[in-house]
Amino acid sequence: MEKMWAGRFEKALDKKADDFNSSLRFDCRMYAQDIRGSIAHAKMLESVGVLSKEDKDLIIDGLTGIKADLDSGALAFDTGAEDIHMFVEAELTKRIGDAGKRLHTSRSRNDQVAVDIRLYLRDECKTIRALLKEAIGVLVKKAEEGVDVIAPGYTHLQRAQPISFGHQLLAYAMMLKRDYARLLDAVKRMDEECPLGSCALAGTTYGIDREFTAQALGFSGVSENSIDGVSDRDFCLEIMSALSIVMTHLSRLSEEIILWSSWEFKFIDLDDSYTTGSSIMPQKKNPDMAELIRGKTGRVYGNLMALLTTLKGLPLAYNKDMQEDKEGIFDSIDTVKICLEVLAPMLATAKLNKENTYRAAQKGFINATDLADYLVKKGMPFRAAYKIVGTIVGECIRKDCVLDNYPLDEYKKHSELFAEDLYNEISLETCVGKRNSRGGASPTSVRAQIEKLRAFLLAAELGE
Ligand code: ARG
């Protein structure tokens, strides 16, 4: 296929260089957005008298037909084109003749691609937000199942204090809720500056109406500097950063799922449909999905680092380096989507083993803080109580006891404040049940969090 710019050259582009230069194999996924942008541009050109109504109608019909044929597969991507923008324009001209050649008036691929990526990201981020809501919904449901499931809470991966297992699950729901807001925020900012009309870099001498195209394409405003308009990829960085944070959260949750499903913990059983066997060890049931989510986090971080590095040091305005923005961000989007799609049902089908979480909570002296608090409530200063309980824990370890079955007369050797009621005060049920401070680990608090998250999900649904 002859290049659009062939007139200026005496020789054709080398085949290898041509392949190297071409972005069609990956930017073809923005065809719908490219066509949407072109239709808005054609309408605007007609509205300011640059295009005739006939040409505009021909262009819109032609583009609509191309979109339908690409959707149905009747039209295949011609790999001879340099990129999706050239492909659509060439196909349009093939279909409608001269009118097709008028579409690119007062436009450059530089502002065209800057619009296309934004439209594409807006659509994809909406899908990701829906997936985040779904995952939050699953966490809320599981937390509801786990409200009265007592488990050890950890610090340093050492048993620390007893919690409702639902509380731990909702910690992840809170993270994903912020991820949702972060993505929405990034998209809102991106949508404030439609770059269309920046043209190659310097705007145009045509009397174009940039507000017209911005509005038609769902932007809330236009970029105020044409050089910035074609050079800005901050929005890609912001979205990739938000996606990296999503992966951090999914990876941490996956790590816990891997731990919880191991024989060492057995807090949960993953469903057979989300686990795999081993080719040699007949007994194995591996949490591959969770491991893959944890593993794929690296590539999403890597994509962000790659684009930061690509952009660093680029002179203004457009440089071909910027074509490198797409593969990474597309990969980050695909990765986050597939991870959320797998994570939600994996979690939804997992079973909580409340006997095991309870048994784990009985070991590790996780009610020691509560025993100290018992003395404090009877008038002892916290630091003194803390010291006494530490000594008692040491004795228990040596005598192979736990606080719950350590005899009262032994307790009394350390303080006269100890009485029979201590056993009730340090029972796991009391320890968890009384952790009613706002945001605490008690079932009441977990129920309040569930209500809040449900309200958030509802509001998010209505807001989309
Ligand atoms: N395929 C190009 C990209 O993705 C489109 C913009 C090309 N602009 C140019 N002046 N060669 O960045």
Side-chain angles (χ1 to χ4, degrees):
M1 182 191 192
E2 186 179 80
K3 297 288 175 206
M4 257 165 212
W5 32 259
R8 190 223 174 281
F9 293 79
E10 283 172 9
K11 279 165 78 180
L13 182 60
D14 170 77
K15 171 81 179 74
K16 195 78 161 179
D18 195 12
D19 290 346
F20 183 61
N21 194 41
S22 169
S23 55
L24 186 63
R25 72 180 184 284
F26 50 85
D27 64 17
C28 62
R29 65 157 90 188
M30 303 192 302
Y31 76 87
Q33 289 79 11
D34 191 74
I35 288 172
R36 229 182 117 195
S38 288
I39 289 176
H41 181 64
K43 284 185 183 163
M44 183 279 288
L45 288 182
E46 191 237 1
S47 79
V48 297
V50 174
L51 268 186
S52 68
K53 182 176 178 323
E54 297 70 54
D55 281 347
K56 179 210 69 174
D57 288 342
L58 276 172
I59 288 171
I60 292 179
D61 282 355
L63 289 171
T64 311
I66 293 172
K67 160 96 170 41
D69 291 348
L70 287 172
D71 284 345
S72 71
L75 175 63
F77 289 106
D78 168 12
T79 42
E82 186 180 316
D83 55 28
I84 186 59
H85 326 292
M86 296 281 216
F87 171 83
V88 172
E89 191 183 328
E91 181 62 29
L92 181 68
T93 305
K94 201 161 97 193
R95 292 186 182 200
I96 66 167
D98 273 356
K101 296 183 187 165
R102 295 209 166 90
L103 172 63
H104 212 54
T105 313
S106 176
R107 187 177 70 169
S108 153
R109 280 183 294 156
N110 297 349
D111 57 346
Q112 198 178 348
V113 72
V115 170
D116 290 3
I117 314 173
R118 282 174 166 86
L119 294 178
Y120 182 80
L121 291 178
R122 188 197 292 159
D123 293 344
E124 291 292 334
C125 286
K126 189 169 179 179
T127 308
I128 294 176
R129 288 201 303 277
L131 290 169
L132 282 170
K133 279 190 291 179
E134 220 171 290
I136 294 169
V138 170
L139 284 163
V140 165
K141 260 212 188 109
K142 279 284 141 188
E144 214 163 27
E145 281 173 36
V147 171
D148 294 311
V149 174
I150 293 178
Y154 293 80
T155 65
H156 312 268
L157 201 56
Q158 304 286 324
R159 290 170 201 176
Q161 289 182 340
I163 57 165
S164 150
F165 195 60
H167 194 51
Q168 180 109 348
L169 293 171
L170 290 188
Y172 288 104
M174 299 300 173
M175 295 175 213
L176 299 190
K177 176 172 174 271
R178 287 193 296 277
D179 288 334
Y180 177 95
R182 229 182 316 268
L183 266 183
L184 191 60
D185 183 52
V187 169
K188 270 194 188 139
R189 192 163 19 263
M190 175 179 83
D191 279 349
E192 281 166 13
E193 300 185 31
C194 179
L196 197 56
S198 300
C199 306
L201 79 160
T204 177
T205 54
Y206 291 96
I208 57 172
D209 182 351
R210 293 191 56 205
E211 280 75 17
F212 182 108
T213 38
Q215 208 184 4
L217 296 171
F219 287 88
S220 57
V222 301
S223 57
E224 296 293 354
N225 181 305
S226 60
I227 293 179
D228 180 47
V230 291
S231 311
D232 166 30
R233 293 292 181 276
D234 302 3
F235 60 98
C236 294
L237 295 174
E238 273 199 67
I239 289 173
M240 289 165 103
S241 163
L243 295 178
S244 296
I245 300 174
V246 171
M247 288 307 294
T248 304
H249 296 152
L250 299 190
S251 183
R252 292 183 79 171
L253 176 54
S254 296
E255 167 65 12
E256 301 237 67
I257 289 173
I258 293 161
L259 286 175
W260 292 338
S261 62
S262 71
W263 280 108
E264 282 70 16
F265 283 76
K266 271 289 163 219
F267 287 1
I268 61 168
D269 282 320
L270 290 174
D271 195 74
D272 283 359
S273 51
Y274 290 95
T275 45
T276 56
S278 152
S279 61
I280 174 170
M281 295 166 281
Q283 85 285 8
K284 288 298 284 292
K285 183 171 166 179
N286 295 328
D288 287 28
M289 311 307 139
E291 291 170 84
L292 275 172
I293 294 170
R294 188 179 59 183
K296 283 178 188 290
T297 304
R299 61 200 283 166
V300 176
Y301 292 0
N303 292 333
L304 170 63
M305 286 307 137
L307 185 59
L308 281 166
T309 312
T310 297
L311 293 174
K312 171 191 166 298
L314 280 189
L316 298 174
Y318 178 84
N319 302 271
K320 192 72 173 213
D321 314 45
M322 289 161 75
Q323 180 165 286
E324 287 292 309
D325 57 3
K326 279 172 278 304
E327 284 163 290
I329 200 162
F330 291 166
D331 180 64
S332 290
I333 283 170
D334 293 346
T335 304
V336 168
K337 273 171 32 183
I338 187 76
C339 288
L340 283 166
E341 279 164 10
V342 170
L343 179 98
M346 172 174 65
L347 203 60
T349 52
K351 288 200 177 63
L352 307 184
N353 294 331
K354 62 176 182 190
E355 292 77 21
N356 289 348
T357 57
Y358 194 84
R359 215 168 317 169
Q362 285 173 316
K363 289 182 218 137
F365 301 94
I366 66 177
N367 46 3
T369 316
D370 299 87
L371 184 60
D373 287 340
Y374 168 86
L375 293 175
V376 171
K377 282 171 191 161
K378 293 201 169 188
M380 189 180 286
F382 179 76
R383 216 20 100 202
Y386 166 93
K387 195 168 172 211
I388 287 177
V389 174
T391 312
I392 295 173
V393 167
E395 285 174 11
C396 284
I397 291 171
R398 282 189 292 280
K399 296 180 182 165
D400 199 19
C401 290
V402 291
L403 296 175
D404 310 69
N405 61 15
Y406 202 49
L408 187 57
D409 48 333
E410 291 295 334
Y411 273 118
K412 281 194 177 291
K413 287 182 191 160
H414 295 277
S415 167
E416 270 314 308
L417 294 175
F418 283 120
E420 191 61 41
D421 61 346
L422 82 87
Y423 295 102
N424 181 47
E425 278 305 296
I426 64 166
S427 81
L428 289 175
E429 286 73 12
T430 314
C431 294
V432 177
K434 282 195 171 170
R435 278 196 157 63
N436 267 330
S437 55
R438 173 96 181 252
S442 73
T444 315
S445 160
V446 173
R447 278 191 202 95
Q449 293 173 55
I450 289 175
E451 293 249 314
K452 286 224 158 67
L453 285 162
R454 288 237 159 90
F456 158 75
L457 288 174
L458 196 68
E461 199 61 44
L462 298 173
E464 284 288 352

